[in-house]
Amino acid sequence: MHRLLLLLPIAAALQAGTPIPGLMPLPTKVEPAAGALPIGAAVSATANLDDARLESAFDRLIARMTGQTGIAIQRVPPADPAHPTVRVECAGRGADYPALGEDESYRLDVAADGAHIAASTVDGALRGMETLLQLIAPGPNGFQIAAVHIEDRPRFPWRGLMMDVSRHWMPVEVVKRNLDAMAAVKLNVFHWHLADDQGFRVESKRFPRLAERGSDGHYYTQDQIRAVVAYARDRGIRVVPEFDIPGHTQSWFPGLPELAAGPGPFEIGRHFGVFDPVMDPSREETYAFIDEFIGEIAPLFPDPYFHIGGDEVNGKQWNQSPAVQAFAKEHGFKDTLAIQLYFSQRVHQILERHGKKMIGWDEILQPNLGEGTVVQTWRNQASLADSVRQGYRGILSWGYYLDHMKPASYLYTVDPLGGVAAQFSADEAARVLGGEACMWAELVDAETVDSRIWPRAAAVAERLWSSKDVTDADSMYTRMARISRVLEWTGIQHRSEYQPMLDRLAGECPAAPLRVLADASEATGLDQRHGSRYTTFTPLNRFVDALPAESELARALEQAAARLAANPGDAAAAQTLRVQFAVWAANDAALAPMLEGNALIEELKPLSGKLAMAGATGLRALDYLVAKRAAPKSWVAAQSAEMARMLKPNAEVVLAAARPVKLLLDALAKSGK
Ligand code: ACM
């Protein structure tokens, strides 16, 4: 019965026409219809209202269709019935600047002669256009869009990506291409972490020394900020700036040492971690500065929310400062937390004066923070519950840290209304606004950041957009693999930077054997790589930096191994595994000589040897399984232990190749006599 239910939509799709390609995030309702819309050399695009954002979205739509099909598509006037039409109907424009909680729903109908998007707002129409683009696929007569009826709306109104541009500098074009990719998966908040210990990244005309002395020359001019905000607005994305205070402020102090509680001298942070420098909460001049600074910066950002950080204040310099201690005594503040609450309340008042609502990391959570405050949870899921129960609104980032390089399947299980939040009353649940994937930049730079965000952020996007019961990881991975390729045409470089980075390491040698090892490996994340060896100057040009968080190849082989374990007669699965295991077993002979005398890849020698071992073990395990012969128990146990060791980081890399082999060994152990 269950099986039949699962199969029905696909059967219905086949009956109605062509199967619907994998979409991500999965829409609320997808009904296949008969026929398909062919994509040819000309498309017309029209709307029922004259709107600049829709007009530019149409131009992007045509450009993306061109990229996704390789056909030089012309945008033509609608009069000619020979050309398919993309027709948009909006009940109204909606908010001029994308607003939290705005109606983003849309309906999309595709038929043989055109596509029709109906939405309440321009933002809803933009979401519909992204779905339309995801539907383009090759068919029996060329590129086409299968006929379909879709109804769709988001589950959460706040679906964000945070990007840290302080630890490593991210130029404007990096931000822009990530905004395009965000729009493609319907993320609608760009949280811009603009200042931290390692860099102050915004021009202040009022306090020019902040960027002059705090950024090594890498900062956004105010014109660039305005351009990025406009770019995001065009794509239906809000921009929430973060200026992390009172801690994580080391880069502010070379320019304005008088803001600091400690004595200095101060330099831009070059290492990573939690440091002592912190603003002085005891001086009125500090608040006067914040008032003036926010007064200058706030108008650059039309969004009502302004993020003040507030995380990881260790209190050391407050404890060491006689002035801060005297101030604390005078106010009856017992500890760092009490001082920080005072600071947060003062900043809240300042923000309110400038028409902004305060948002901060969960360390700010205390009673009486002030009206309208939003708390961003990162330390544990319980703090989201605490925030909501204290009457604040909250967003979840715990579990969505992309820099930890956990698999998409893990990110996918984290639900803003999961865990303790599952017990929320309706009122409490309504205060959970959504979540944000976080890209901290200690170990990513402009070259590698795309491959750390994408495609995994799409799994978070789906969690935040799609229905709560959309939880099947296999379906997610199948669709994510496809969407990862579709994203290519937004300009994001998560796939295109991979081979050139490997080629660069290979130098004079052909990079093919290095690619074999890379395809079988996975990069570890900040929690495993963090160490004193890294500073902001350390090049991120090693093998680990080229690798993605997850090996698509290993995953495909795991699926084949699972099929074979279930049915040793599955010849196709056995063949898939045998071909790949043989490549692995032979690879070290080709790779080892390349590694000699090349300081950049010498560290891979053990890893390359282990890949060969995994291949050889896999071949032997296959032979036993396919022949239905019992394998020696001691051999199975020893090899299983070896595979487990391979899954421990080596050169900061995990050998994902060990996983499918381990599955075969597990199957042998189970059937062993
Ligand atoms: C944080 O990760 N310190 C917010």
Side-chain angles (χ1 to χ4, degrees):
M1 184 63 194
H2 187 59
R3 210 175 143 72
L4 195 69
L5 276 177
L6 280 177
L7 288 175
L8 259 179
I10 294 166
L14 285 172
Q15 209 172 26
T18 327
I20 305 300
L23 298 171
M24 199 165 186
L26 201 66
T28 314
K29 186 174 180 184
V30 181
E31 288 175 359
L37 171 66
I39 308 290
V43 171
S44 79
T46 60
N48 66 324
L49 24 111
D50 191 13
D51 181 89
R53 286 209 298 155
L54 281 177
E55 271 310 304
S56 66
F58 285 145
D59 289 340
R60 290 198 305 277
L61 181 89
I62 304 290
R64 284 264 293 286
M65 282 183 161
T66 296
Q68 285 178 225
T69 61
I71 302 167
I73 299 172
Q74 270 203 309
R75 188 174 165 193
V76 294
D80 186 345
H83 300 305
T85 303
V86 176
R87 200 159 49 83
V88 164
E89 218 171 304
C90 289
R93 231 178 277 285
D96 182 55
Y97 180 84
L100 175 65
E102 176 168 34
D103 186 344
E104 296 172 88
S105 68
Y106 67 92
R107 292 151 65 102
L108 167 63
D109 283 282
V110 178
D113 59 347
H116 179 223
I117 293 167
S120 303
T121 64
V122 169
D123 282 331
L126 296 177
R127 308 295 176 244
M129 283 191 231
E130 295 294 347
T131 302
L132 184 68
L133 284 166
Q134 289 191 5
L135 287 166
I136 297 171
N141 301 307
F143 282 102
Q144 62 169 38
I145 303 178
V148 69
H149 170 76
I150 288 176
E151 294 175 24
D152 202 9
R153 61 179 61 249
R155 178 172 168 222
F156 292 105
W158 190 305
R159 306 179 307 279
L161 171 69
M162 187 221 73
M163 190 188 279
D164 168 11
V165 300
S166 172
R167 269 56 178 259
H168 279 93
W169 167 240
M170 303 294 165
V172 166
E173 63 269 22
V174 175
V175 172
K176 284 186 171 174
R177 69 186 187 228
N178 275 281
L179 286 166
D180 280 298
M182 284 175 68
V185 294
K186 304 180 173 60
L187 289 171
N188 67 353
V189 182
F190 178 62
H191 170 173
W192 208 354
H193 186 82
L194 286 161
D196 210 301
D197 296 314
Q198 296 81 359
F200 186 97
R201 304 295 184 197
V202 177
E203 172 193 32
S204 164
K205 294 189 199 294
R206 182 64 197 80
F207 303 100
R209 281 185 313 187
L210 281 171
E212 274 169 22
R213 303 203 182 160
S215 73
D216 301 310
H218 292 315
Y219 62 89
Y220 308 107
T221 66
Q222 296 197 355
D223 282 343
Q224 287 174 319
I225 297 267
R226 275 187 280 268
V228 166
V229 168
Y231 194 90
R233 172 183 170 270
D234 267 356
R235 287 150 183 79
I237 296 173
R238 302 165 42 213
V239 178
V240 174
E242 178 184 351
F243 290 88
D244 198 349
I245 54 175
H248 282 291
T249 40
Q250 209 173 313
S251 69
W252 303 55
F253 301 150
L256 299 176
E258 62 274 23
L259 292 176
F266 297 101
E267 290 179 355
I268 296 173
R270 305 301 184 188
H271 293 85
F272 304 122
V274 176
F275 303 109
D276 301 341
V278 61
M279 284 185 175
D280 186 341
S282 70
R283 297 174 72 234
E284 272 311 306
E285 290 85 344
T286 302
Y287 303 104
F289 160 78
I290 293 172
D291 190 24
E292 211 171 329
F293 177 72
I294 289 178
E296 179 192 0
I297 296 300
L300 298 175
F301 299 96
D303 200 83
Y305 291 84
F306 198 99
H307 204 303
I308 55 101
D311 57 321
E312 300 182 313
V313 177
N314 70 13
K316 274 193 199 159
Q317 293 199 341
W318 288 352
N319 292 333
Q320 288 161 359
S321 155
V324 175
Q325 286 306 303
F327 157 84
K329 196 161 169 208
E330 183 191 326
H331 285 79
F333 299 149
K334 288 197 178 44
D335 54 17
T336 299
L337 276 180
I339 299 173
Q340 194 176 349
L341 174 59
Y342 174 86
F343 181 86
S344 300
Q345 287 169 331
R346 292 291 303 268
V347 174
H348 183 279
Q349 287 167 8
I350 292 168
L351 285 170
E352 206 163 43
R353 254 205 312 285
H354 295 289
K356 297 293 184 187
K357 295 186 169 85
M358 183 165 84
I359 168 164
W361 298 106
D362 57 26
E363 285 94 333
I364 69 164
L365 175 61
Q366 296 197 59
N368 305 315
L369 279 173
E371 181 70 26
T373 298
V374 174
V375 177
Q376 182 165 14
T377 285
W378 73 279
R379 290 180 300 173
N380 50 60
Q381 208 165 13
S383 80
L384 179 65
D386 291 344
S387 307
V388 163
R389 294 209 164 112
Q390 291 185 36
Y392 301 115
R393 288 168 303 155
I395 60 175
L396 185 68
S397 280
W398 172 86
Y400 296 147
Y401 269 33
L402 299 169
D403 53 314
H404 290 188
M405 302 296 268
K406 291 216 172 79
S409 55
Y410 170 79
L411 305 171
Y412 200 55
T413 59
V414 177
D415 191 310
L417 289 176
V420 277
Q423 321 296 326
F424 282 171
S425 69
D427 275 356
E428 287 168 341
R431 290 204 287 278
V432 177
L433 300 175
E436 284 185 3
C438 291
M439 187 69 260
W440 296 103
E442 282 90 344
L443 297 182
V444 303
D445 60 15
E447 181 177 51
T448 61
V449 67
D450 293 5
S451 71
R452 271 75 193 123
I453 298 176
W454 307 102
R456 290 176 307 143
V460 180
E462 174 154 296
R463 176 59 46 246
L464 299 173
W465 176 282
S466 302
S467 307
K468 187 177 170 58
D469 56 2
V470 174
T471 55
D472 185 293
D474 284 339
S475 160
M476 178 274 287
Y477 270 114
T478 305
R479 288 177 293 109
M480 190 175 77
R482 171 170 193 274
I483 292 307
S484 182
R485 286 154 176 72
V486 174
L487 281 172
E488 185 88 19
W489 306 105
T490 67
I492 205 75
Q493 298 177 5
H494 63 304
R495 297 174 73 238
S496 55
E497 68 204 1
Y498 179 53
Q499 185 67 48
M501 286 185 76
L502 295 175
D503 288 340
R504 191 169 65 190
L505 290 168
E508 299 291 312
C509 306
L514 196 60
R515 174 73 186 244
V516 169
L517 182 62
D519 285 349
S521 304
E522 294 173 345
T524 55
L526 180 70
D527 43 346
Q528 309 211 43
R529 293 182 67 186
H530 204 272
S532 52
R533 72 177 286 175
Y534 289 105
T535 73
T536 54
F537 299 123
T538 312
L540 298 173
N541 63 350
R542 285 161 60 217
F543 186 67
V544 58
D545 299 302
L547 297 185
E550 285 186 89
S551 160
E552 275 191 25
L553 172 65
R555 205 187 133 67
L557 296 175
E558 279 178 88
Q559 289 176 332
R563 287 199 301 276
L564 194 72
N567 171 18
D570 188 330
Q575 177 66 4
T576 299
L577 292 164
R578 194 178 303 283
V579 167
Q580 192 59 52
F581 290 164
V583 169
W584 289 348
N587 196 60
D588 189 47
L591 185 53
M594 276 175 63
L595 304 177
E596 282 310 324
N598 181 339
L600 289 156
I601 46 178
E602 255 174 353
E603 62 175 345
L604 303 178
K605 277 185 193 168
L607 205 66
S608 175
K610 284 179 196 305
L611 181 66
M613 277 169 62
T617 301
L619 286 172
R620 192 166 160 195
L622 262 181
D623 286 342
Y624 285 120
L625 262 179
V626 170
K628 298 189 184 136
R629 272 199 300 135
K633 264 188 179 169
S634 58
W635 179 80
V636 172
Q639 293 306 309
S640 284
E642 185 56 39
M643 294 307 123
R645 276 195 292 279
M646 286 187 197
L647 290 169
K648 299 244 160 33
N650 186 327
E652 301 183 324
V653 164
V654 162
L655 200 58
R659 285 200 299 264
V661 178
K662 178 82 169 51
L663 283 180
L664 298 187
L665 293 166
D666 290 349
L668 285 174
K670 252 205 262 168
S671 66
K673 308 198 170 61

